[in-house]
Amino acid sequence: MAEKQSLPLLEFITLCCVVFMAVCNISVYYSLNVYLLGLGFTKTVSGFLISVYSLSGMLMYLTVSSLITAGNAYRFMFAGMVLVSLCGGGYLCMHDFWPLLLLRIGQGVGIFMVLAPCVAILVSMVSQENVGSAFSLYSTALLLPYAVMPHVSEQLGPFVDGPELIYAATAGLIPVAFLLTLFLRFRTSGMKKNGQETMRDISTRESYANLSRLKIISVLAVNGVYFMIFTGLFFLFQDFAHSRGVVRAGYFFSLQMGVMIAIRLFGGTLFDRFSKRALIVTAFVFTAGGFILLNGLHDEGMLLPVAVIFGIGMGLSAPALNSLMFVVSEPRFRSFNVNMMMFTVHMGSFFGPLLGGIAVDSIGYNGFWDIAAAGTLGTALVFMLLGRVK
C-alpha cells in the first residue's frame, strides 16, 4: 500500500526550493569559460577546469551514493552546504591553475553532498502513480536556475568588477537553503517510519550488481549522453555566440529553459500517460535538429526558433529518463539507481565541456555541432532498438 501514498506537497515544494538554490551555484558559472579565457587559459584548459567539477562529483556518486539514505541525508546536506559556500567565495582570491583546480574539485564534492541526499528524500516521497509528474516538477527546480542565472549574470556584469563577485554572491543563497533544510528535516522526521529505509539492508555489491540489467544500464547511458550534450552547449554557447556577432546570448537559455519549464509544469501528466521511451526518442530527434540549426546562426533573430527547438527536445528528456529509471528499478534499488542517474549527469558534464573544448580547438564550432547532431540521432536510434529487446 506504500506505493499508493500521495505526494506530500509542502515537503516536496521545500525540497525543490533547496534544490533550486543549490543549482543556482552551478548555473551561475555560465560565464566561466569566457572568464577563464580572459585569465589567459586556452579553450582546452578552460574546458578541463570546467569539467573537473563534474569529474569530482562523478567519483563521489560512484563511491559514496550507495551509503546515502533518507535517514542520513541531512548530515550530508549540511556539510555540503558549508563546502559550497566556501568554494563560491574562493573565486575572489584564486586565479591560477592549481588553486582553481582545487576549487572546482571542492565544488563538485560539495554539490554532490547537497543534491544526492535530495534524491534519497525525493524517492521516499513518490509512488508509481505520481512518479512522472513528481520528477517533472523536481526537474523544473533543477532547470529553473539555468533559465535565470545566465541572464542575471549578463545583466549584472557591467555593474561589477568581474564575474567572480557574482559567483561569491550566489553562494549567499546557501544559508537560506540551510534554513529550509532544517524545516524540511523537521517536516519529514515522521516519514522515515513509513517503510522507505530499505537501503540499510542492501549490500554495496548488490546495489552495483543491479546496474548490469540492460534496462538499467541503457537508461544510464542515454542520460549521460543527454547531459554531455546539455553541458557542452551550455558552457560553450557564449563564446560561440560572440564568434557569430551575437553579443548578449544569455537570454537564449532563458528562452530555452522557459520552454522546458512550461513543458514540465503544464505537461506533468504527459510523462505518466505516454510511453517514456517514445518521449525520450522524440526529445533526442528535436535536440539533433537544434544542433543542425546552430550552424546557421548569424544574428540574434535566430535565437528564438533555435531556443524553442532545444527547449522542446531537452524539456522532454530528463523527466522521461528519470521516471523511466524509477519504473524499471526494483523498489529497494530506486534511490541508488536514481542517484546513479546523477552519476551519469556528472559524467556527461565532465565529458561535454572537455571534449567540446578540444573539438572546437580542432575543428571549430561548425564541426562540433555536426558531431553533436550525429551523436544525438545515433543515440536515439540505438535506444529505440534496445526498447524492443526483452
Side-chain angles (χ1 to χ4, degrees):
M1 298 297 293
E3 292 286 355
K4 296 183 180 179
Q5 65 180 359
S6 60
L7 191 66
L9 191 59
L10 178 61
E11 293 80 2
F12 178 75
I13 292 173
T14 303
L15 179 66
C16 288
C17 289
V18 172
V19 168
F20 170 81
M21 294 179 190
V23 179
C24 280
N25 282 272
I26 304 172
S27 59
V28 71
Y29 296 99
Y30 161 75
S31 60
L32 186 59
N33 182 46
V34 172
Y35 172 65
L36 293 174
L37 294 176
L39 291 178
F41 297 110
T42 66
K43 287 186 174 67
T44 299
V45 173
S46 174
F48 175 73
L49 286 172
I50 292 170
S51 299
V52 77
Y53 152 84
S54 297
L55 178 62
S56 61
M58 180 173 63
L59 293 175
M60 291 294 290
Y61 273 101
L62 190 62
T63 58
V64 180
S65 60
S66 64
L67 306 177
I68 298 175
T69 70
N72 62 23
Y74 295 101
R75 292 195 293 273
F76 279 94
M77 290 175 72
F78 293 140
M81 288 177 181
V82 172
L83 189 54
V84 171
S85 296
L86 293 174
C87 289
Y91 287 89
L92 295 173
C93 55
M94 297 182 183
H95 306 101
D96 297 322
F97 176 80
W98 289 108
L100 286 171
L101 180 68
L102 293 175
L103 202 61
R104 296 294 291 167
I105 292 171
Q107 285 186 299
V109 173
I111 290 293
F112 160 80
M113 293 174 70
V114 177
L115 293 183
C118 288
V119 169
I121 297 168
L122 172 68
V123 170
S124 74
M125 294 180 181
V126 302
S127 67
Q128 287 274 14
E129 286 73 24
N130 58 35
V131 58
S133 53
F135 274 108
S136 176
L137 293 171
Y138 183 79
S139 63
T140 300
L142 291 168
L143 279 177
L144 191 57
Y146 291 96
V148 174
M149 296 309 296
H151 184 64
V152 168
S153 297
E154 286 194 341
Q155 294 301 310
L156 292 177
F159 303 102
V160 297
D161 291 336
E164 64 271 26
L165 293 173
I166 301 175
Y167 304 156
T170 305
L173 292 172
I174 294 300
V176 181
F178 184 90
L179 294 176
L180 285 175
T181 304
L182 285 176
F183 173 73
L184 183 64
R185 183 180 185 179
F186 170 75
R187 293 287 303 184
T188 59
S189 58
M191 295 181 188
K192 297 171 189 175
K193 302 174 183 177
N194 293 335
Q196 296 292 341
E197 290 292 294
T198 57
M199 285 296 294
R200 289 174 181 167
D201 302 323
I202 303 171
S203 69
T204 300
R205 187 171 66 86
E206 286 179 301
S207 296
Y208 285 102
N210 105 95
L211 300 179
S212 63
R213 293 173 54 206
L214 180 61
K215 287 184 178 180
I216 302 296
I217 199 169
S218 63
V219 176
L220 289 173
V222 172
N223 198 57
V225 171
Y226 165 74
F227 277 94
M228 192 186 322
I229 293 165
F230 179 86
T231 55
L233 175 67
F234 184 79
F235 285 109
L236 296 174
F237 187 81
Q238 187 180 45
D239 183 61
F240 163 70
H242 290 176
S243 72
R244 294 296 180 91
V246 179
V247 178
R248 293 199 174 270
Y251 77 92
F252 170 84
F253 288 101
S254 297
L255 294 170
Q256 178 193 342
M257 298 300 168
V259 174
M260 295 169 72
I261 290 166
I263 289 173
R264 297 178 189 192
L265 281 178
F266 302 109
T269 56
L270 180 77
F271 301 101
D272 288 320
R273 291 180 180 177
F274 293 94
S275 165
K276 296 171 178 59
R277 191 172 292 270
L279 289 172
I280 293 163
V281 171
T282 301
F284 272 59
V285 171
F286 268 94
T287 303
F291 281 118
I292 293 171
L293 289 175
L294 277 181
N295 273 334
L297 181 69
H298 294 292
D299 56 65
E300 290 189 16
M302 288 195 63
L303 288 180
L304 175 60
V306 177
V308 170
I309 295 294
F310 273 113
I312 294 172
M314 293 183 169
L316 293 173
S317 296
L321 282 164
N322 280 292
S323 55
L324 179 60
M325 176 59 83
F326 185 95
V327 169
V328 301
S329 298
E330 295 178 40
R332 62 192 181 128
F333 293 124
R334 279 174 180 160
S335 177
F336 176 76
N337 287 352
V338 175
N339 262 327
M340 283 296 97
M341 293 288 277
M342 291 301 297
F343 160 74
T344 59
V345 168
H346 283 268
M347 182 180 68
S349 300
F350 170 72
F351 286 111
L354 177 63
L355 296 180
I358 294 171
V360 171
D361 267 345
S362 302
I363 57 177
Y365 280 110
N366 282 5
F368 175 59
W369 301 140
D370 287 340
I371 291 173
T376 305
L377 284 175
T379 300
L381 177 61
V382 171
F383 191 64
M384 182 174 63
L385 294 175
L386 287 176
R388 300 178 181 179
V389 178
K390 301 297 183 184

